[in-house]
Amino acid sequence: AAATGIDGLRPRGLIEFQLSVEAQNNPMGIIQESTILVYCAAGIRSALAAKTLQDLGFTNVYNLGGFSEWVSNGGEIEA
């Protein structure tokens, strides 16, 4: 499945409740095959979030890691 480009910012503690396919509050219509990219400032919380999403059954989860590292290594961003 292609990435939707929807900004799905969710605090780490709400992933299980808001991004589960079975959740009543599934505002983005997430399905198990949705492409999900996670990142945070340093890479630690994103690793935990990616693991949680995989444990919930999502199959296309990618951990970008730390955003600051992405930028310092020349990763592209839009201002």
Side-chain angles (χ1 to χ4, degrees):
T4 61
I6 296 173
D7 181 357
L9 296 175
R10 292 290 178 267
R12 167 59 191 91
L14 295 178
I15 289 173
E16 295 89 336
F17 303 107
Q18 292 187 347
L19 295 184
S20 172
V21 174
E22 293 84 22
Q24 290 180 339
N25 181 16
N26 186 352
M28 295 173 286
I30 295 235
I31 59 172
Q32 297 301 136
E33 296 79 21
S34 294
T35 299
I36 302 173
L37 174 68
V38 294
Y39 64 90
C40 66
I44 297 168
R45 287 171 295 157
S46 62
L48 294 171
K51 171 77 168 93
T52 298
L53 290 164
Q54 290 169 338
D55 289 348
L56 288 170
F58 292 98
T59 56
N60 294 312
V61 179
Y62 301 93
N63 180 11
L64 178 66
F67 186 74
S68 57
E69 184 178 6
W70 170 264
V71 172
S72 68
N73 285 320
E76 292 186 38
I77 59 170
E78 292 183 20

